[in-house]
Amino acid sequence: MANLDPIDAIAYIVLLVVSFIYLIRLTFVSSGKSAYDSLRADQTSTTNDKVHGFAESVRSSGKNFVVVYGSQTGTAEGFANALSKEGSQRFGLKTAVVDLSEVDVSFLRNLPEDIFVIFVMATYGEGEPTDNAIAFHQSVIELAESAFHDKPLQAFRYACFGLGNRAYEQFNATMRGMDKALQNLGAKRVGEAGEGDDGGSIEDDFMTWKESMWTDVSLALSLHETEMVYQPLFIVEELASSNNTSLLVEGKITAQSTNLIPIVESRELFNSRHRSCLHMEFDIDGTGMTYETGDHLAIWPVNSRLESDRFVSVFGLKNKLDICINITAIDPTTSRVPFPCPTTYEALVCSYMEICAPVSRQLILSLAPFAPDDDSRAAAIAVGNSRQAFNTRFTNNYYNIAQALQSLTPLPWDNVPFSLLLESIPKLQPRYYSISSSSLVQPKQLSVTCVVESVITSDGAAVFKGLNTNYLLWLTSKIRPASINGIDLLEYPITKIRNNTDGNGTGPIYVPAYVRHSKFRLPKTTKRPIIMVGPGTGVAPFRAFIQERDAQAKAGLPVGRTILFYGCRTPDEDFLYRHEWMEMTAHLGDNFTLVTAFSREGKEKTYVQHRLLENADIIGDLIVNEKANIYVCGDATHMAREVGSTFAQIIAAKRRVRLEEGKYALKAMKSRGAYQEDIW
Ligand SMILES: Cc1cc2nc3c(=O)[nH]c(=O)nc-3n(C[C@H](O)[C@H](O)[C@H](O)COP(=O)(O)OP(=O)(O)OC[C@H]3O[C@@H](n4cnc5c(N)ncnc54)[C@H](O)[C@@H]3O)c2cc1C
Ligand SMILES: Cc1cc2nc3c(=O)[nH]c(=O)nc-3n(C[C@H](O)[C@H](O)[C@H](O)COP(=O)(O)O)c2cc1C
Ligand SMILES: *[C@@H]1O[C@H](CO)[C@@H](O)[C@H](O)[C@H]1NC(C)=O
Ligand SMILES: *[C@@H]1O[C@H](CO)[C@@H](O)[C@H](O)[C@H]1NC(C)=O
Ligand SMILES: *[C@@H]1O[C@H](CO)[C@@H](O)[C@H](O)[C@H]1NC(C)=O
Ligand SMILES: *[C@@H]1O[C@H](CO)[C@@H](O)[C@H](O)[C@H]1NC(C)=O
Ligand SMILES: *[C@@H]1O[C@H](CO)[C@@H](O)[C@H](O)[C@H]1NC(C)=O
Ligand SMILES: *[C@@H]1O[C@H](CO)[C@@H](O)[C@H](O)[C@H]1NC(C)=O
Ligand SMILES: *[C@@H]1O[C@H](CO)[C@@H](O)[C@H](O)[C@H]1NC(C)=O
């Protein structure tokens, strides 16, 4: 970090902005609501033409098999790409892949009858479609309501796979609703409606469904299976001369949802030698970014030096890193290049490809033909085909693709076409954080509360380190070396993280980020009581809520009861914002109550739901008689469900009705926004 060149620093920053903005433009149509909205806004006048144009181009390019996807973080999109590729390479189908944001139901109505469609759709929130599928989903549901009797899609045949997580109440709701609507419109589903549970089995669910789907679809469409031959989707052209400026010319991109925002402060919140939780403050003044209390900050990570090096050495790219490359999609209806070109191998590996993601069986199997020798090919095929071997050898060790291949053979896999890596390795995704500051109190500066992911594998042999959180920890070490709790740091390839126009290496450190607007909001009237349940980092948005209520009380507004249920291990180790709560008590008096559950303090584990039950009387009274709003934030897998059923129980007891009616009352609260969740 010592000698930083100001020109390079600026060039780097510009390059970073350019690459990220490009990513945003293409992936954010689905991820960032605001970006999505603004992009849609300038498309509305041409939407119809576009949709017809799309159906037309599918028709005129002779496609007969279309895979459409509704995806937020790329899983469904990856499955869609895999289906398209398999359709074309295994069955000789003429496939296309369609992002649902580009079409509406008239797309289906305009398709020729002999075109088969596969839907791959994920579910979010309270059983809602992904951002990129909202319009399509709505248009299908509306048509199903209005044209029920005409059955306008009678000639239409499709297959479908829904992605979800059984931890959510509305498991797989999007695909289920879509499936029903399509059938009501007369469409015929071929094979079973597949469903994948992101709680751990999603890939196996997909692989199992896929095989039976191909059997059913082969029968229905009389397909003939041929030997799979790999055909690249991209042309990767290595350019002779690298002209710096050509890397930067895409700077004219206008969809400015990502900004480089400086870190104003980053400090450790835990008092532990092994675990870390960061409080980070970012300056958004002058960026044009705005936020509201309850929103999320999306941060773009960078791959670590260790993993980037591993990846390039496994794939034999070491000597090619700074070669300038231009990438072109061979068939724009099946694939597109989602980053600015020309670029370099290094830029792609470090900041475009999610190279640390869990390796998938599909990926191992698709790389197997390019193995360096027969033994490693046989080994790859064997592990790829066995769920059990794959889990014990790879998944349980948290292996990414390069680690997995390294464990099969010490030889480099330098025969793998780079196009294949581009096709099968997911795009790097931003990570979301619930903003932990109030926009009323600090509109120009926002904070997040982020726990650093570090998991020891079951055999204790290795430690898995989360991508973005360890990057943030490393950045923190550059700002406040003393604040790092003895946790091993990974190093990152970015040597020029500061805007160092002053030349002495003390400029601010930036991260590329954008605000994603949420629906997680305080009640409109400050008088309404609120009950918040946020153990661990789930407390983040509640720090913001309480900050806001405190400011409102100071401004003389009547602020109703504000109750926070917080849980952590022990009061000394990981009690987040302990001192701030004391201050709030001083300001808000009896209107603020903090109820704590320390899981490792007593003999029995105490969690927030236990504390809720202990306070059932007062909680029940606030909900039933005072119309309190309930907010739950944090872990979706266990906590949110347990807390939800505890509330149902409390309501039922208060009203002296059966539990079923308590559950029903909770559902009603959810649908009118009186019970809100921010869970992950
Ligand atoms: C709406 C929303 C709000 C959120 N708010 C907050 C918040 O306020 N505070 C907060 O701390 N977090 C929050 N999160 C979580 C956060 O977005 C990140 O998921 C978290 O910080 C981990 O990111 P990471 O890049 O460090 O870890 P990743 O590298 O993405 O790893 C995350 C997990 O994925 C799995 N995984 C990744 N790679 C592998 C592999 N190779 N093999 C096996 N398993 C693997 C592991 O289970 C790992 O624990 C929120 C998430 C959402 C969706
Ligand atoms: C914030 C959040 C909310 C979710 N809500 C639901 C839900 O209501 N029902 C469900 O079945 N799955 C839900 N899921 C799980 C996703 O559908 C699942 O992870 C899916 O694999 C994501 O696919 P994608 O990567 O293509 O977006 C949710 C996931 C997240 C992160
Ligand atoms: C998931 O959705 C499919 C339709 O897409 C449906 O057949 C299936 O029953 C659903 N599963 C659950 C658990 O709701
Ligand atoms: C680099 O690109 C710029 C703008 O595209 C051009 O003006 C310049 O001549 C190029 N330089 C070289 C060495 O190719
Ligand atoms: C950009 O140009 C400078 C000077 O011409 C050179 O030192 C540098 O390596 C080039 N960078 C890239 C990425 O081509
Ligand atoms: C990169 O490829 C695109 C699409 O084929 C082409 O238009 C562009 O000129 C190419 N750029 C360079 C520098 O070769
Ligand atoms: C870097 O700092 C200078 C001086 O403060 C400022 O003019 C410039 O806009 C900053 N660059 C970025 C990318 O923020
Ligand atoms: C670095 O430069 C800035 C502005 O020129 C100055 O305020 C600061 O004190 C300098 N820091 C060091 C450590 O020299
Ligand atoms: C507490 O809430 C009550 C009822 O809304 C209100 O009258 C009182 O002023 C509040 N107290 C404080 C300190 O805000």
Side-chain angles (χ1 to χ4, degrees), residues 373-581:
D373 61 7
D374 290 344
D375 287 350
S376 48
R377 181 177 311 114
I381 292 172
V383 186
N385 279 323
S386 157
R387 177 180 175 167
Q388 211 197 342
F390 187 87
N391 285 347
T392 38
R393 293 194 56 180
F394 297 164
T395 311
N396 298 352
N397 291 320
Y398 288 80
Y399 278 177
N400 59 39
I401 178 61
Q403 289 171 310
L405 297 184
Q406 257 183 347
S407 79
L408 292 175
T409 168
L411 300 171
W413 290 59
D414 48 11
N415 297 323
V416 177
F418 195 67
S419 174
L420 179 54
L421 296 178
L422 291 175
E423 293 156 28
S424 25
I425 292 179
K427 284 185 299 226
L428 196 61
Q429 295 291 335
R431 298 336 194 228
Y432 294 112
Y433 297 91
S434 306
I435 294 175
S436 57
S437 58
S438 153
S439 58
L440 181 74
V441 178
Q442 43 178 82
K444 303 287 184 200
Q445 187 174 314
L446 55 80
S447 71
V448 300
T449 309
C450 155
V451 70
V452 178
E453 285 255 355
S454 183
V455 192
I456 298 172
T457 53
S458 48
D459 59 3
V463 178
F464 165 79
K465 286 175 174 290
L467 184 63
N468 189 48
T469 50
N470 284 279
Y471 166 57
L472 296 177
L473 185 70
W474 178 75
L475 292 177
T476 302
S477 76
K478 303 293 173 202
I479 300 170
R480 270 188 187 235
S483 74
I484 304 302
N485 284 336
I487 290 176
D488 291 336
L489 292 174
L490 288 174
E491 289 293 321
Y492 291 80
I494 299 177
T495 51
K496 299 177 177 98
I497 52 174
R498 293 178 193 268
N499 176 1
N500 192 30
T501 39
D502 63 17
N504 65 5
T506 54
I509 290 178
Y510 290 84
V511 293
Y514 68 98
V515 170
R516 181 169 196 271
H517 298 290
S518 80
K519 292 181 187 154
F520 199 68
R521 293 287 184 257
L522 276 165
K524 293 219 165 58
T525 45
T526 57
K527 256 198 282 193
R528 191 184 287 273
I530 59 173
I531 300 161
M532 298 168 284
V533 184
T537 43
V539 80
F542 302 139
R543 178 180 183 268
F545 278 18
I546 293 166
Q547 224 181 35
E548 185 144 330
R549 296 267 254 192
D550 180 48
Q552 288 164 335
K554 278 186 191 143
L557 289 166
V559 169
R561 291 274 326 246
T562 304
I563 304 185
L564 172 63
F565 286 84
Y566 174 72
C568 62
R569 290 186 185 173
T570 68
D572 299 323
E573 182 192 341
D574 52 356
F575 193 169
L576 298 176
Y577 304 116
R578 182 178 190 166
H579 300 289
E580 295 188 15
W581 308 134

Side-chain angles (χ1 to χ4, degrees), residues 26 30 32 49 80 131 156 162 329-330 370 379 383 414 447 488 550 571 647:
L26 292 145
S30 59
D49 298 347
D131 288 350
F156 180 75
I330 292 170
F370 303 97
V383 186
D414 48 11
S447 71
D488 291 336
D550 180 48
F647 273 118

